[in-house]
Amino acid sequence: MMFNLAPSFIPLTGEDRRFPVRRIYCVGRNYLDHIREMGGDEREPPFFFQKPADALVLDGACVPYPSATEDFQHEVELVLAIGTRGRNIETGDAARFVCAVGVGIDLTRRDLQLKARDRGRPWEPGKSFDHSAVCSELLPWAAPHLPEHGLIELSVNDEVRQTADLGQLIWSCAEIVSQLSRQYLLMPGDLIYTGTPAGVGALRPGDQVVAEAQQIGSVRISIGEPAAG
Ligand code: MN
């Protein structure tokens, strides 16, 4: 019998240490143009869901096309890495709890997500499956403010599919950290995916996918055939 109990680690740019992943939190909706393309309430406060830590996928990986879907989609997102324990964090204090930033892809089985949404069920089958949390190397972050501007982009086979500026986030990075910390005790090792802009779309086996956040980092994956075993 084989067990894979190795925790997930992410390289930190320019450092020998790696970031040990504890939990992966994601924001449901955080760019107006994506809410409009999906159909939703534009004034709702942010809501959060989780992916399992072992769903993490790092740069250069081949992600097998997942089971149980016919609409496997990409969502490029800025990722915040928590380095300090915190609860009920004030927005103005949020940067102190973030030790690194990166860019990620919230891979989504859109057909399962929408079916769950329409039936009032949890999003889990659409969001929290194997290999669903792609993340770049993390850039250590010690600035007094979290990223507020900068291009974030995703391309498939060299064609740009998603492009936006972080300034278009409805809830800023600091507001997300603050709001999440009122629902959960944030701990070192937690990742927060901050939501995707418009342009989400389907992926197929053979696709080459690149996500990039200007001056932060990039991550490249390929999509493979469905796993046989
Ligand atoms: Mn997302």
Side-chain angles (χ1 to χ4, degrees):
M1 191 176 289
M2 277 179 58
F3 292 94
N4 181 7
L5 297 176
S8 301
F9 291 91
I10 305 178
L12 284 154
T13 307
E15 295 196 12
D16 293 333
R17 301 179 302 144
R18 292 182 301 162
F19 182 84
V21 178
R22 172 180 178 261
R23 290 187 183 170
I24 302 176
Y25 293 104
C26 305
V27 178
R29 283 172 190 162
N30 205 14
Y31 288 84
L32 207 50
D33 53 359
H34 178 57
I35 294 177
R36 287 179 179 159
E37 77 179 348
M38 296 294 292
D41 185 339
E42 298 174 8
R43 291 178 302 274
E44 254 184 19
F47 69 95
F48 300 95
F49 60 90
Q50 291 185 49
K51 291 175 184 272
D54 68 354
L56 186 73
V57 169
L58 297 180
D59 186 41
C62 177
V63 172
Y65 194 92
S67 57
T69 185
E70 289 172 4
D71 194 9
F72 179 44
Q73 295 201 355
H74 56 78
E75 298 189 354
V76 65
E77 312 200 0
L78 183 76
V79 178
L80 308 175
I82 299 294
T84 301
R85 182 183 189 277
R87 191 195 301 280
N88 298 327
I89 297 166
E90 297 298 331
T91 301
D93 200 25
R96 194 162 66 76
F97 295 84
V98 173
C99 66
V101 299
V103 61
I105 311 171
D106 165 13
L107 290 173
T108 301
R109 295 192 287 204
R110 187 74 68 202
D111 42 0
L112 301 190
Q113 182 205 2
L114 296 183
K115 201 181 291 179
R117 182 190 73 180
D118 294 346
R119 293 176 182 177
R121 290 180 181 167
W123 280 19
E124 210 165 334
K127 289 291 192 178
S128 308
F129 54 97
D130 296 337
H131 312 293
S132 61
V134 179
C135 192
S136 70
E137 269 194 15
L138 295 170
L139 178 68
W141 192 266
H145 296 287
L146 295 171
E148 288 168 354
H149 294 282
L151 190 69
I152 183 165
E153 208 162 69
L154 180 138
S155 63
V156 179
N157 305 327
D158 295 323
E159 180 191 322
V160 175
R161 294 267 192 95
Q162 294 187 267
T163 183
D165 191 278
L166 297 175
Q168 294 170 253
L169 284 166
I170 295 171
W171 303 94
S172 70
C173 293
E175 287 171 325
I176 290 167
V177 170
S178 174
Q179 299 223 20
L180 185 61
S181 77
R182 293 169 202 283
Q183 297 184 27
Y184 301 94
L185 171 65
L186 298 187
M187 293 289 284
D190 291 345
L191 293 178
I192 309 173
Y193 284 60
T194 56
T196 196
V200 300
L203 295 168
R204 289 174 192 80
D207 282 346
Q208 304 288 326
V209 186
V210 179
E212 185 168 9
Q214 206 171 36
Q215 296 186 324
I216 289 174
S218 68
V219 60
R220 172 186 297 267
I221 58 164
S222 59
I223 308 301
E225 295 295 328

